[in-house]
Amino acid sequence: MQNRTAYITAAAISLTLSVGLVFFVVNAEINKTKNILDQQAHDLYQHVNDNFKNSKVVLDSVAALFQTMGEVDNDQLSQYSREMLEDYPYLYAVEYFTKVDNAERVQFESDMRESGYVAFSIKQYAGDAKQSLINSPQQTTYFPLVFMQPLDVTTAQLIGLDGLSDSRFSAAFKRAIATGEPSMSAPVDLMEGGQGLMLFKAVYTKSVLPVDLNVRTENTFKIIAVLIRIDDLLSEQNRNNFSFAQLRFLNGHEDINTNKEDLWSWSNGLLQAYYRDFSLSFDDKKFNLEFNKTIRWEDIGVSNIVMALMLSAVFAILVFWLTHLRLVFLKDKRKADEAHHQEKEKAEITLYSIGDAVITTDIDGGVEFLNLAAEELIGMQLSDVNGRKLNSLMSVKGEENPEDLQELFWTFHKPDGLVLHKDPLKLVNHHGSEYVVEISISPIHDLAGDNIGFVLVLRDVGHIRKLSFQLEYQATHDPLTDLANRSEFERRLDEALIQSKAYDKQHALCYMDLDQFKIVNDSCGHLAGDHLLKQLATVMKSCMRDTDLLARLGGDEFGVLLFDCPVEVAETIVLKIKNAVSDFRFVWDEHAFDIGISIGLVPICSQSISTIELMRNADTACYVAKDNGRNRIHLYQEDDSELAQRFGEMQWVQRIRNALQDDRFFLAVQDVVSLSNTDNEKHREVLLRLHGENGETIPPMAFIPAAERYELMPQIDRWVFCKTIEMIGAIEACDCLYNINISGQSLKDEDFSNYARNLLAKSSVEPHRICFEITETAAISNLNTATQFIHSMKELGIRFALDDFGRGMSSFGYLKTLPVDYLKIDGSFVRDMANDAIDYAMVESITRIGHVMGLKVIAEFVENDTTVELLRELGVDYGQGYGIHKPETWLVEKGCPLEHRLSKKAV
Amino acid sequence: MRKIAPAILLLAMTLQLPSAWAEDKHRCLFISSYHIGYAWSDGIEAAVYQHLKERCVVRSVYLDSKREPHPEKIEKRAHKVKQLVEEWKPDVIIAADDNASKFVIKPYYRDSDIPVIFCGINWSVEEYGYPYSNTTGMVEVMPIKSLLNFVRKTVPNARNGVFLSADVMTERKDYQRYKKVFARKGIKLNKELAATFTDWTTMYHRSQSYDFIIVNNNAGIVDWNEKQARAVVTESGQRPTFTVYEWMMPFAMIGVTKDPAEQGEWAAKAASSVLKGVPISTIPIIPNQRWNLWRNDALSNMAKLEIPLSIKIKSRPYKENK
């Protein structure tokens, strides 16, 4: 509707202006036409004037002819007249009247008749309606017309007409005679229609104009006349440019309005839009030349009007276009306004929604806007604080020094945008509530770049800081014991080392490992272990100075940093810790456990190399302490042989990895022989060997400890199992049972069971050809996982042997929960059983228990036949050892090569 | 020749028979006193036809009075013309030259209802009693004054001239008029009127003693020998010679001649006005008004006569074959 109105308005404007334009152009054209008409009228006026003058010239010339020649031959005059009439087409006739005194009249008339005018007489108009001519009555003098050029049938009758007595001519005649100058008659009707003006000029018998009027009359012998046809005074072509043109004869009066006589009029128009008149005079005659023109469309320049219409059309299009543009602009502006409003709404909602407090102020800090967060921060609503100075609503203080808010503004009063206050400030609002905030202040500039206010964004960082503290705490502390964690410990160790190097200070580092912790953890669960750790942390902390740092490094390992502590003092503190732990008795679910702790102590001095070196030394010292019987302290010293061994182990780590990578491990087999001769199934233990970098064969005890300590056993176990499956798969119709040692680390590795299962599934090896040997220690240390592993593997058909049974002096009760098939008596009991009654008893007891539990018993380290015999007596099922079969490299083609020899030995 | 004249007349009349489509137009009868081929009357007739062709059907009849001048014969032809008028009933009659008025108009149509326009009548119309109530026209006058002007311009000191012409009544009248006009300017004009060619030759030779010679009409010299006449003029002509007849230009150095077309034109215009309803009484009888000016350079050169420049400019050279 609005658009329609706008377009209608545009149309109205276009129409109005177009009409105006057309009117203007038409008016201009009319004026132009009037100017042209003015010029034409003036030209016509000039033309008439000239015609009068030229008529006079003709008259004068003819008169001069007579004046100089006396008598002029009619033929000669006719020729001259014809030329004049041709040259001056408005001249209708050239005539002359000759003076005839009354006494000469008869002879004159006779002569005229004799000359061919057969009926000639001096005549005058009778005055009747028919304009008939009659013989002129007697009078003193006559001026009959004797020559007329042209002479035609209608005018020929005028030959003989007495001009002097003619009422129309007499006055002009007399004036001509009296003045010697051309005179003009009043308008006369022409016989063939129209009107004419007669000009007369007297010719005297003597060339000189007589001075005396009477003499002039006397001497006049000819009156020359020219007849002007009024219609022809104006050229037809020019006259036709006007609707109406007329020469008004005024009878000598100036007042054309009241006393004028139309000479002729000519009209072809309807309206008189143009009028112009000119005054003319000749002799005593006054004329008014009037022009009138009804200006019609065809008189106006059509091209200009068309141009005006085209311009109008263009203008209309322009107006419509501008209107359209304006509407589009308004529409766009409305959209932009709506979008702006929406954006503003969004911005305000966003500002209200965001957690940061947003405050805008004027240049003087007067509040102009608060979002919801700002209202909460300030504790007042925008309507309450609008225009109030911001520093009257809140104050800000630095962490250390108070800050003046207004000064902050001016500090940040820079034209280049956002400025962030680097340090969090403490904000105290109107109600005294305190917040820790970060403030960013941005100046607001107008288009000229002048600052007109500020935008403050205040972020409440109190929660963040708290969270940050928490995260920092969590990052540096053990969540269970609230002690520093390993990373924090190492950071502090760095600091201590730096201090030592910088200030030559002495500190001490302790690496502590709980003894028997796994037993508590495994037997009573993790919760018990956790409690134990927490309690021990408290116990240990109580033994330390406030400046010392106790950290849980992982599992049951702890670290202590003793700052500014000589090694002697450190030993005292560490001993105190050891004793406190030893004295501590942990009770859980009616179970009581004595806990020991092995501690490695390393002094930190300016000569200490690095944090890593310190930690490795402490770890090694701790291991040595543990290896030396647990619950003791081992002080690291340079050239420490025990530590050297430990370092040797550490070097094995990389060698093992290299060997795995270079595939330098290989397998050996050692037969396990039935001692009862009742079991035909052949047994064989798969043994691991290593080719050294120089090709030598390295026994397993050289690298297994290092592999166990550095968690490399799962990789080695996988390689052994894979290689064994490969070897078995290569044997056709294998009926042996292959015993494969599985470390405790692999027992805890849930992926190992999957690995074994998948490998078996892909191979042709029957799982019941496989027997996993796990040590008693490993099984008991990971009792739950070991139990689960055994069950899952036995489902496949794999059998289990509990290796080194008896070494750990474990409770036999564990056997109830471990579904093993074989017990392998620790070789230390078997080796000297022939000479040591206790060992014999142990072998006997274990064999008995095994059998009671339905297990087969295998004796290791059978090195001689005596032992074989003793074992048979005790009912031990299998024997294994150098006395039966020495391990040899496993070659596939060998199949089961030792069967025969074993049988022979057994014999 | 005389036997076949009636046949020629009839043929001419037949050729001029109006066509059927012309019945609705006015009828104009042109009566020529002479015959087809006579330059003067041919000029009149041509002008009549030219000016009346849009107004009326023009029919021409010829009295052939120049070639058959015997009055009885002319009267017979005039009677036939009268019969034709009665049959054809023209709205206007144009009578050219004297014999048409003398043998047709005067005896048959004086004051009749049929308008008559005459033309080519020499000087006076008194012989025919003009004007009648139904007639007007143009008389044929000699341009004596004009001729006098040219004589005076050519021979400024002329005092004694001669009028050489055929010895007929018309020429005698003309001589009187010439004499009278010339006398007004102090010029004595003598006369030499010849009845035969021999007389004319003798008179021509004798005229060489005058200041100038007006060689007037030879019509009436029955044995006129054109060739010899030219030879005589060429051999003997030493004096300025003037004429008012175009056909006499081989024997004159300057000629001021009547224009037959003016006669025919005036007659046609008058007839046209009458047909329009203009009372014939309002149209006066007037004399002819214009002349043709000729010069014969051959003769003037032989006579070593210098023709004034003003005449040379205005005149047309006469050529032998014209």
Side-chain angles (χ1 to χ4, degrees):
Chain A
M1 186 63 185
Q2 190 178 359
N3 288 355
R4 184 184 301 170
T5 304
Y7 282 120
I8 290 172
T9 304
I13 292 171
S14 301
L15 184 62
T16 303
L17 292 178
S18 299
V19 168
L21 180 60
V22 171
F23 179 79
F24 174 78
V25 171
V26 169
N27 202 40
E29 288 297 322
I30 288 174
N31 287 334
K32 183 179 172 185
T33 304
K34 282 183 176 178
N35 289 336
I36 294 171
L37 290 172
D38 258 345
Q39 186 60 46
Q40 291 175 343
H42 187 270
D43 290 347
L44 283 170
Y45 157 74
Q46 197 63 44
H47 183 70
V48 172
N49 231 359
D50 290 345
N51 287 346
F52 277 154
K53 288 178 183 176
N54 291 332
S55 300
K56 181 176 178 294
V57 168
V58 171
L59 192 65
D60 285 341
S61 65
V62 176
L65 203 63
F66 278 96
Q67 203 79 51
T68 55
M69 297 178 66
E71 283 294 333
V72 178
D73 176 52
N74 280 358
D75 180 50
Q76 193 176 359
L77 185 57
S78 292
Q79 286 191 9
Y80 183 78
S81 298
R82 280 196 294 271
E83 292 173 5
M84 291 298 106
L85 293 176
E86 286 177 5
D87 291 342
Y88 305 102
Y90 55 90
L91 291 179
Y92 182 65
V94 176
E95 305 169 354
Y96 75 81
F97 300 81
T98 190
K99 181 184 176 185
V100 177
D101 292 330
N102 189 45
E104 302 169 341
R105 175 178 179 176
V106 174
Q107 183 59 47
F108 177 77
E109 289 177 337
S110 175
D111 288 345
M112 285 299 290
R113 283 194 288 269
E114 180 67 20
S115 66
Y117 294 98
V118 176
F120 181 84
S121 66
I122 297 174
K123 298 173 284 190
Q124 66 181 39
Y125 280 103
D128 57 5
K130 295 182 178 178
Q131 293 283 301
S132 53
L133 291 164
I134 58 173
N135 287 334
S136 180
Q138 292 284 330
Q139 54 191 53
T140 307
T141 305
Y142 310 90
F143 273 93
L145 175 67
V146 294
F147 177 82
M148 176 185 282
Q149 179 63 39
L151 185 68
D152 60 34
V153 293
T154 54
T155 59
Q157 62 178 314
L158 297 177
I159 295 294
L161 178 67
D162 180 22
L164 187 60
S165 63
D166 192 297
S167 61
R168 302 170 301 171
F169 305 144
S170 62
F173 255 70
K174 290 171 182 172
R175 219 168 33 254
I177 293 169
T179 63
E181 291 296 324
S183 66
M184 178 181 280
S185 72
V188 294
D189 293 332
L190 301 178
M191 297 190 72
E192 67 280 7
Q195 285 190 310
L197 291 167
M198 290 287 284
L199 302 184
F200 300 106
K201 183 176 176 66
V203 180
Y204 304 99
T205 52
K206 296 180 180 178
S207 300
V208 180
L209 175 68
V211 177
D212 184 68
L213 180 60
N214 292 327
V215 177
R216 290 180 184 176
T217 306
E218 184 66 27
N219 287 0
T220 301
F221 79 103
K222 298 287 185 202
I223 297 291
I224 311 300
V226 292
L227 176 59
I228 299 171
R229 185 179 173 88
I230 295 174
D231 280 352
D232 296 336
L233 271 176
L234 300 174
S235 68
E236 192 72 19
Q237 183 179 0
N238 289 337
R239 192 173 63 184
N240 279 341
N241 291 332
F242 295 93
S243 309
F244 175 85
Q246 70 175 14
L247 185 67
R248 290 184 180 276
F249 176 55
L250 304 180
N251 279 354
H253 298 282
E254 297 292 344
D255 186 0
I256 61 172
N257 294 321
T258 58
N259 184 20
K260 56 190 178 184
E261 178 184 343
D262 290 351
L263 295 179
W264 49 255
S265 65
W266 183 88
S267 174
N268 64 0
L270 297 173
L271 301 174
Q272 296 187 6
Y274 170 81
Y275 176 82
R276 180 79 190 270
D277 67 336
F278 300 90
S279 295
L280 296 97
S281 64
F282 191 95
D283 188 19
D284 64 340
K285 302 297 184 294
K286 303 289 184 185
F287 302 91
N288 200 53
L289 184 59
E290 297 176 343
F291 299 97
N292 182 287
K293 173 73 173 176
T294 300
I295 298 173
R296 289 163 293 195
W297 290 109
E298 55 265 33
D299 300 322
I300 298 172
V302 177
S303 60
N304 287 340
I305 294 174
V306 170
M307 185 66 73
L309 289 170
M310 291 174 65
L311 280 174
S312 299
V314 170
F315 180 76
I317 291 169
L318 185 63
V319 168
F320 269 90
W321 183 61
L322 289 175
T323 303
H324 177 69
L325 284 183
R326 181 174 173 273
L327 290 174
V328 169
F329 170 74
L330 290 175
K331 187 178 178 182
D332 291 345
K333 184 175 181 299
R334 192 159 53 246
K335 284 183 177 178
D337 288 345
E338 289 174 359
H340 176 69
H341 179 72
Q342 289 178 355
E343 289 298 322
K344 186 180 177 184
E345 281 290 307
K346 287 178 181 177
E348 288 184 352
I349 290 170
T350 303
L351 288 173
Y352 274 109
S353 303
I354 63 176
D356 292 345
V358 180
I359 302 170
T360 59
T361 72
D362 58 22
I363 188 66
D364 298 321
V367 174
E368 293 179 340
F369 173 78
L370 298 177
N371 71 347
L372 193 58
E375 288 178 341
E376 290 177 355
L377 198 67
I378 292 177
M380 299 178 73
Q381 292 187 337
L382 176 61
S383 57
D384 299 327
V385 302
N386 198 6
R388 290 175 60 181
K389 293 290 170 53
L390 188 59
N391 57 1
S392 69
L393 303 174
M394 63 182 193
S395 63
V396 290
K397 297 176 180 177
E399 293 280 16
E400 297 177 357
N401 301 314
E403 297 271 2
D404 181 76
L405 194 60
Q406 197 65 27
E407 288 183 359
L408 275 180
F409 283 170
W410 296 117
T411 302
F412 298 149
H413 186 188
K414 298 176 182 175
D416 53 353
L418 176 69
V419 177
L420 178 65
H421 195 265
K422 294 179 179 177
D423 301 320
L425 300 174
K426 181 183 289 183
L427 183 147
V428 182
N429 70 9
H430 188 66
H431 303 295
S433 300
E434 293 185 357
Y435 301 90
V436 178
V437 296
E438 286 180 348
I439 297 179
S440 66
I441 300 177
S442 299
I444 303 171
H445 299 109
D446 60 13
L447 290 176
D450 296 330
N451 181 227
I452 57 173
F454 300 95
V455 176
L456 292 86
V457 179
L458 298 91
R459 174 169 294 175
D460 183 358
V461 297
H463 176 69
I464 295 173
R465 292 190 75 191
K466 185 178 178 180
L467 194 61
S468 176
F469 287 142
Q470 285 181 351
L471 290 172
E472 185 179 355
Y473 186 85
Q474 289 172 359
T476 58
H477 287 76
D478 171 45
L480 178 64
T481 60
D482 279 341
L483 298 176
N485 60 12
R486 189 182 191 95
S487 63
E488 176 63 10
F489 185 80
E490 289 175 347
R491 189 184 69 79
R492 295 294 298 275
L493 179 59
D494 278 338
E495 291 178 354
L497 180 59
I498 291 169
Q499 277 189 339
S500 292
K501 290 179 177 297
Y503 306 107
D504 195 21
K505 288 188 175 182
Q506 291 187 326
H507 309 296
L509 167 64
C510 299
Y511 199 97
M512 303 185 297
D513 190 279
L514 294 179
D515 301 327
Q516 310 304 325
F517 173 74
K518 288 181 181 175
I519 295 172
V520 175
N521 216 18
D522 291 345
S523 58
C524 299
H526 290 291
L527 187 58
D530 290 346
H531 275 278
L532 172 60
L533 293 174
K534 287 166 74 174
Q535 290 174 20
L536 283 178
T538 304
V539 169
M540 287 188 286
K541 207 163 189 179
S542 65
C543 302
M544 297 163 57
R545 300 169 302 174
D546 292 340
T547 55
D548 298 334
L549 175 65
L550 174 62
R552 186 186 176 204
L553 302 181
D556 55 353
E557 297 169 348
F558 293 87
V560 173
L561 262 176
L562 302 170
F563 297 99
D564 295 322
C565 187
V567 66
E568 296 80 12
V569 177
E571 284 181 317
T572 305
I573 294 172
V574 170
L575 182 61
K576 190 176 177 181
I577 292 172
K578 185 189 79 71
N579 292 335
V581 172
S582 299
D583 294 342
F584 176 73
R585 190 174 182 78
F586 178 67
V587 179
W588 186 265
D589 289 343
E590 299 178 350
H591 295 282
F593 296 90
D594 291 324
I595 305 298
I597 188 166
S598 300
I599 301 174
L601 175 60
V602 177
I604 303 173
C605 62
S606 58
Q607 286 76 32
S608 300
I609 297 173
S610 66
T611 304
I612 296 172
E613 185 75 14
L614 288 169
M615 285 297 288
R616 189 170 62 194
N617 291 340
D619 183 27
T620 307
C622 178
Y623 184 83
V624 171
K626 191 179 283 289
D627 207 40
N628 288 339
R630 306 177 189 271
N631 197 31
R632 62 190 63 212
I633 300 168
H634 184 87
L635 174 61
Y636 168 81
Q637 292 178 330
E638 291 187 12
D639 301 328
D640 191 328
S641 59
E642 291 179 277
L643 283 177
Q645 179 187 341
R646 298 305 305 167
F647 285 136
E649 291 177 355
M650 289 177 190
Q651 291 174 354
W652 270 109
V653 173
Q654 190 57 41
R655 293 180 66 185
I656 292 167
R657 288 173 178 162
N658 293 338
L660 286 169
Q661 185 174 349
D662 299 339
D663 198 23
R664 285 188 277 109
F665 284 105
F666 66 98
L667 297 179
V669 289
Q670 184 179 38
D671 292 345
V672 179
V673 179
S674 174
L675 300 176
S676 61
N677 293 322
T678 57
D679 186 3
N680 292 324
E681 189 179 32
K682 302 173 184 65
H683 290 240
R684 185 176 290 170
E685 183 177 0
V686 176
L687 301 173
L688 181 63
R689 299 291 184 270
L690 173 62
H691 288 302
E693 289 83 352
N694 299 320
E696 73 280 14
T697 298
I698 300 173
M701 287 312 295
F703 57 84
I704 288 298
E708 287 180 338
R709 183 161 187 82
Y710 296 100
E711 306 271 341
L712 295 175
M713 286 308 298
Q715 296 178 55
I716 294 173
D717 289 343
R718 279 176 166 77
W719 186 90
V720 171
F721 182 72
C722 177
K723 196 66 177 178
T724 302
I725 295 302
E726 180 184 340
M727 297 298 283
I728 297 170
I731 301 169
E732 294 182 4
C734 180
D735 55 354
C736 283
L737 178 67
Y738 289 89
N739 289 13
I740 302 171
N741 291 282
I742 298 298
S743 68
Q745 291 170 2
S746 293
L747 287 178
K748 293 188 290 184
D749 183 2
E750 294 179 355
D751 290 337
F752 184 80
S753 59
N754 295 329
Y755 173 80
R757 185 178 290 108
N758 292 335
L759 199 59
L760 285 169
K762 292 176 181 177
S763 73
S764 59
V765 177
E766 294 174 347
H768 66 273
R769 296 293 172 195
I770 303 298
C771 176
F772 283 148
E773 291 187 6
I774 56 177
T775 64
E776 178 196 16
T777 305
I780 293 173
S781 298
N782 310 280
L783 189 61
N784 293 333
T785 53
T787 305
Q788 291 174 3
F789 178 76
I790 292 168
H791 278 295
S792 65
M793 291 294 100
K794 285 182 73 70
E795 289 176 358
L796 296 176
I798 294 175
R799 283 173 280 185
F800 279 82
L802 196 59
D803 197 10
D804 295 338
F805 190 78
R807 178 184 291 184
M809 299 300 290
S810 302
S811 169
F812 289 154
Y814 293 128
L815 290 174
K816 294 179 183 176
T817 56
L818 292 172
V820 297
D821 302 289
Y822 300 94
L823 285 178
K824 289 186 75 171
I825 303 166
D826 190 88
S828 61
F829 297 122
V830 177
R831 182 187 300 129
D832 293 327
M833 66 178 288
N835 303 316
D836 190 334
I838 296 174
D839 290 344
Y840 182 88
M842 281 299 295
V843 172
E844 184 183 18
S845 298
I846 293 170
T847 303
R848 191 175 297 163
I849 291 170
H851 287 165
V852 170
M853 295 182 69
L855 306 178
K856 297 289 186 181
V857 179
I858 300 170
E860 299 177 294
F861 288 20
V862 179
E863 294 179 350
N864 48 56
D865 293 339
T866 305
T867 304
V868 171
E869 287 300 324
L870 290 173
L871 291 173
R872 280 182 177 163
E873 289 176 1
L874 291 175
V876 173
D877 299 294
Y878 298 93
Q880 177 187 0
Y882 278 39
I884 300 173
H885 177 238
K886 289 183 180 178
E888 56 183 299
T889 300
W890 190 9
L891 301 174
V892 173
E893 58 274 18
K894 286 188 175 179
C896 297
L898 300 180
E899 182 179 357
H900 174 69
R901 185 160 54 90
L902 184 60
S903 301
K904 190 171 62 178
K905 278 188 176 179
V907 172
Chain B
M1 181 67 183
R2 291 183 178 180
K3 290 180 180 177
I4 63 170
I8 293 172
L9 178 61
L10 288 175
L11 177 60
M13 292 171 67
T14 302
L15 289 173
Q16 297 297 326
L17 283 175
S19 56
W21 60 267
E23 289 298 325
D24 294 336
K25 281 193 174 183
H26 292 295
R27 296 168 185 153
C28 298
L29 181 63
F30 177 74
I31 303 172
S32 174
S33 296
Y34 305 119
H35 57 274
I36 297 173
Y38 185 61
W40 170 258
S41 59
D42 284 350
I44 295 174
E45 186 179 3
V48 167
Y49 270 85
Q50 182 182 352
H51 288 90
L52 277 181
K53 60 184 179 184
E54 299 297 331
R55 176 60 62 183
C56 62
V57 176
V58 182
R59 187 169 183 175
S60 298
V61 291
Y62 306 90
L63 295 179
D64 198 15
S65 61
K66 185 67 73 178
R67 294 181 301 185
E68 295 287 345
H70 198 279
E72 289 183 0
K73 292 183 177 179
I74 297 173
E75 285 174 358
K76 284 183 180 177
R77 292 179 197 122
H79 183 72
K80 289 183 179 179
V81 170
K82 176 179 174 291
Q83 289 177 337
L84 177 63
V85 170
E86 289 172 356
E87 291 173 3
W88 194 50
K89 294 182 172 37
D91 296 296
V92 67
I93 294 172
I94 298 169
D97 295 313
D98 289 65
N99 285 337
S101 293
K102 182 179 179 179
F103 291 97
V104 179
I105 304 305
K106 183 180 178 182
Y108 301 120
Y109 299 107
R110 179 169 186 165
D111 298 323
S112 75
D113 294 334
I114 301 175
V116 175
I117 315 296
F118 60 84
C119 60
I121 294 178
N122 270 322
W123 285 114
S124 175
V125 294
E126 291 174 358
E127 182 181 351
Y128 317 118
Y130 288 143
Y132 308 148
S133 61
N134 64 326
T135 61
T136 186
M138 176 173 273
V139 296
E140 179 187 330
V141 297
M142 295 297 113
I144 300 174
K145 288 185 179 178
S146 295
L147 188 69
L148 172 62
N149 286 332
F150 292 125
V151 168
R152 292 180 66 188
K153 284 183 181 179
T154 308
V155 190
N157 299 317
R159 287 290 179 269
N160 203 4
V162 63
F163 180 85
L164 175 60
S165 182
D167 186 13
V168 293
M169 179 61 70
T170 305
E171 297 305 310
R172 291 190 196 103
K173 287 181 182 178
D174 284 348
Y175 169 67
Q176 293 303 320
R177 294 187 182 96
Y178 276 88
K179 182 180 179 183
K180 185 178 179 180
V181 173
F182 275 71
R184 288 175 186 170
K185 296 298 177 183
I187 298 173
K188 182 182 179 182
L189 189 63
N190 303 290
K191 65 175 180 182
E192 291 283 359
L193 301 175
T196 64
F197 180 68
T198 302
D199 292 341
W200 187 87
T201 303
T202 302
M203 290 175 184
Y204 182 79
H205 286 294
R206 193 164 54 223
S207 296
Q208 298 301 315
S209 60
Y210 293 94
D211 295 333
F212 62 90
I213 305 168
I214 294 174
V215 184
N216 219 44
N217 200 352
N218 63 352
I221 300 175
V222 293
D223 59 346
W224 177 259
N225 188 323
E226 182 80 11
K227 188 176 179 180
Q228 284 190 11
R230 293 190 182 201
V232 168
V233 170
T234 301
E235 293 171 1
S236 309
Q238 296 296 320
R239 308 308 301 174
T241 48
F242 301 88
T243 186
V244 293
Y245 294 107
E246 189 174 339
W247 62 86
M248 295 303 292
M249 274 305 295
F251 316 107
M253 298 174 188
I254 294 172
V256 183
T257 63
K258 296 174 291 185
D259 183 3
E262 184 190 11
Q263 299 287 327
E265 181 182 327
W266 178 268
K269 286 182 177 178
S272 180
S273 294
V274 169
L275 291 174
K276 287 179 185 175
V278 175
I280 199 168
S281 60
T282 63
I283 302 173
I285 300 168
I286 63 166
N288 55 322
Q289 302 287 314
R290 63 176 189 251
W291 328 105
N292 294 326
L293 181 61
W294 302 94
R295 70 175 187 278
N296 189 331
D297 292 328
L299 288 183
S300 63
N301 289 338
M302 282 189 291
K304 298 181 181 177
L305 176 67
E306 188 66 25
I307 296 176
L309 184 60
S310 61
I311 295 175
K312 277 188 175 179
I313 292 172
K314 291 180 181 179
S315 62
R316 288 183 286 177
Y318 175 79
K319 295 180 179 179
E320 201 61 37
N321 58 352
K322 183 166 176 69

